[in-house]
Amino acid sequence: MALHSFSYYSQLPFIIIIFFFFHGEGGFSPSPEEVGICEAVVRPYGYKCQEFEVTTEDGYILGMQRIPVGRNGVIGGARQPVLLQHGVLMDGMTWLLNSPEQSLAFVLADNGFDVWIGNIRGTRSSNRHVSLTPSDRAYWAWSWDELVENDFPAMVDLVAKQTKQKLHYVGHSLGTLIALASFSEGRLVDKLRSAALLCPIAYLDHMKTKLGILAARLFVGEILSNLLGLAEFNPKGDYLFLECDFTGNNCCLNGSTVQLFLQYEPQPTSTKNMVHLAQTFRDGALTKYNYGVNNIQRYGQSTPPVYNLSNIPNSLPLYLSYGGRDSLSDTEDVEHLLQDLKLHETDQLVLHYVQNFAHADFIMGVSAKQVVYDSMMAFFRQI
């Protein structure tokens, strides 16, 4: 029986559960007096930290953080800039949840890199707009297409202008998707030294996360948006499904890291963004947002345009690291991506497979430095 034939009313019990889960009490809600990521979690460890803002072409004001030097404060000549981009339902805190010896942002700074942390629209550091507020439905009228077109270029341009250098890019999960989509359209490749993609997501055909599959198949995103009028997707309450139902069976998280995660995350995104991700799973293709009967008006064709990943420049240095226990970035889907990259110059494509890592291990795992980050930094230094 086709899932498309289910009525909204037959799905209401599940919808109600989702509604109260994502709009219930509890969870971390940043107050207006919050001091920002630099003051809250970077400077207390003894690092210098700067807060920046950049406005996108469509009016979103994005906050970024910079850790210009390591904890010892020694500059030691030109430091290559690295831009870190988080995944969905997260923000720049992604890179700061462990100790300085284990968190990627600190590790990079201590190893001679000029570290920049990006935060996409709607998150704690990037919740302002030139004319809208998060209480306006129009504020949330975007999907990851707009991140490709606006947020990603704005952040890269800021780093390039401030440092007057090409930069390395590190994305995790959604941060890899917007990069791959951007590169496929020839965007920004002239401003990057390389791109490191942790848990790369381009295809979601083999996604195994139970919650994600159920939501995608039941069109929960469309229902939340259309039936209940929810433009903002704001997960509140316990988020413990991070450890298995959502990301896979992570091997290497400790209790204190999970508690810190629950204090600061998750972050809101748009319902439309979640719908777009669900479309990627349901349709088995990487395309722009599918507006259905409005595609012709939007795109001049009945189907949404495809992001053709085989168009990614073959000379762009790429580092892909993925895990055998990842329920979101499944190994079969990574293999699909690699088929698109089969003509990539062999000396410009590094693959790094970690059998026992799941999705969150790459950013929160206590052994991620030894298992992933050291290899990634060696890759940067060869470019």
Side-chain angles (χ1 to χ4, degrees), residues 1 70 124 129 264 302 310 332 335 380 383:
M1 179 171 57
R124 171 183 17 243
H129 187 275
Y264 289 110
S302 60
S310 63
E332 290 187 70
E335 289 297 325
F380 288 158
I383 302 303

Side-chain angles (χ1 to χ4, degrees), residues 10 29 34 42 121 124 135 163 200 321 377:
S10 69
S29 297
E34 187 180 8
V42 180
R121 61 185 65 188
R124 171 183 17 243
S135 61
T163 64
S321 189
M377 288 188 293

Side-chain angles (χ1 to χ4, degrees), residues 117-271:
I117 299 173
N119 301 273
I120 64 170
R121 61 185 65 188
T123 58
R124 171 183 17 243
S125 297
S126 303
N127 60 5
R128 293 185 296 130
H129 187 275
V130 295
S131 62
L132 301 171
T133 71
S135 61
D136 297 320
R137 185 177 177 86
Y139 176 91
W140 300 100
W142 52 269
S143 78
W144 55 262
D145 281 337
E146 282 70 31
L147 306 183
V148 172
E149 296 170 8
N150 297 292
D151 291 31
F152 189 32
M155 291 186 284
V156 169
D157 286 346
L158 177 67
V159 177
K161 288 176 181 176
Q162 288 288 326
T163 64
K164 296 180 174 55
Q165 296 186 62
K166 290 186 176 183
L167 53 140
H168 298 291
Y169 175 81
V170 181
H172 176 252
S173 193
L174 181 68
T176 72
L177 176 60
I178 62 177
L180 288 166
S182 176
F183 301 156
S184 75
E185 296 186 330
R187 299 171 184 263
L188 303 175
V189 291
D190 60 325
K191 297 182 179 179
L192 297 182
R193 290 177 183 266
S194 71
L197 309 179
L198 308 182
C199 310
I201 287 183
Y203 303 102
L204 293 171
D205 306 34
H206 298 88
M207 177 177 68
K208 294 182 176 66
T209 166
K210 298 174 185 177
L211 182 62
I213 291 172
L214 184 60
R217 286 181 173 169
L218 292 180
F219 289 68
V220 168
E222 286 94 329
I223 296 166
L224 287 173
S225 180
N226 299 331
L227 182 62
L228 299 179
L230 301 177
E232 177 185 1
F233 192 83
N234 191 357
K236 294 181 179 178
D238 288 341
Y239 198 52
L240 291 176
F241 65 83
L242 160 81
E243 295 192 51
C244 54
D245 286 343
F246 192 62
T247 66
N249 188 14
N250 297 286
C251 72
C252 305
L253 311 186
N254 66 30
S256 61
T257 301
V258 172
Q259 287 302 311
L260 190 61
F261 171 87
L262 292 173
Q263 178 183 353
Y264 289 110
E265 309 291 353
Q267 292 291 299
T269 189
S270 71
T271 301

Side-chain angles (χ1 to χ4, degrees), residues 68-83:
V69 294
R71 186 155 43 172
N72 62 13
V74 177
I75 295 178
R79 300 168 68 90
Q80 294 181 4
V82 182
L83 171 61

Side-chain angles (χ1 to χ4, degrees), residues 90 94-98 102-104 172 198 253 257 357-365 368 373:
M90 299 286 283
T94 291
W95 313 105
L96 300 160
L97 292 170
N98 279 327
Q102 298 167 331
S103 298
L104 181 56
H172 176 252
L198 308 182
L253 311 186
T257 301
F357 264 30
H359 207 69
D361 288 315
F362 286 84
I363 52 172
M364 295 167 56
Y373 304 161

